[in-house]
Amino acid sequence: MLCCDQEGLLSGVCTTSGLAYKMKGRVGDSPIIGSGLFIDNNVGGAVATGLGEEVIKTVGSFLIVELMRQGKSPQEACRLVVEKIRRIKKEKAAEIQVCFIALNKNGEYGSYALHTGFNYAVHTAEGNKLIESPFSV
């Protein structure tokens, strides 16, 4: 979850799913700053869901914020990182799901997923809406 308050301060939170049949002692992406979650109040924030090992390998949330720092929109930054994961995984990309949501300092948001089926909610002064994330494969 990513939030921006009335003063423009950003915050975020993520949790681990507790992946079924995980290896004992496995640490997912959630507790690793820059992987499952990263916030820079000067730029924006990003949060991940899906197979944490793939998010860790790209330090995905940090990379999205850095791409926004370079001028990419939240949507474009999320897409670039998901496509990087798809290129790395090649044919094995069909076996996993990874999704990112991002919010920049201007209140613009975006998301991108490896596969169909990921939705996210947005709450603004105008109301609530559920958005289906664009996807790569």
Side-chain angles (χ1 to χ4, degrees):
M1 176 173 68
L2 298 169
C3 300
C4 184
D5 70 12
Q6 292 177 345
E7 296 175 9
L9 297 175
L10 300 166
S11 63
V13 63
C14 66
T15 63
T16 187
S17 68
L19 181 68
Y21 311 109
K22 68 181 179 182
M23 200 165 48
K24 185 174 177 135
R26 174 190 181 266
V27 176
D29 61 312
S30 297
I32 301 173
I33 299 299
S35 291
L37 172 70
F38 190 76
I39 305 288
D40 181 330
N41 252 313
N42 295 313
V43 180
V47 64
T49 189
L51 187 60
E53 285 80 356
E54 302 310 321
V55 175
I56 292 168
K57 290 175 188 174
T58 60
V59 195
S61 295
F62 172 79
L63 181 53
I64 288 168
V65 173
E66 288 306 301
L67 289 166
M68 290 191 300
R69 185 185 315 278
Q70 295 171 19
K72 302 288 187 213
S73 71
Q75 182 75 41
E76 179 71 3
C78 289
R79 183 185 65 77
L80 289 169
V81 174
V82 167
E83 288 183 351
K84 178 177 183 169
I85 292 169
R86 182 179 45 79
R87 283 191 308 275
I88 292 168
K89 293 305 290 183
K90 299 179 183 166
E91 66 278 349
K92 292 185 180 185
E95 301 169 14
I96 64 168
Q97 175 68 302
V98 173
C99 315
F100 292 97
I101 303 169
L103 173 69
N104 70 15
K105 192 71 173 171
N106 299 323
E108 300 168 321
Y109 55 86
S111 176
Y112 209 80
L114 193 53
H115 299 282
T116 186
F118 179 70
N119 298 309
Y120 64 104
V122 174
H123 173 77
T124 65
E126 290 79 41
N128 303 319
K129 57 183 167 180
L130 186 63
I131 301 170
E132 183 174 355
S133 181
F135 58 95
S136 177
V137 177

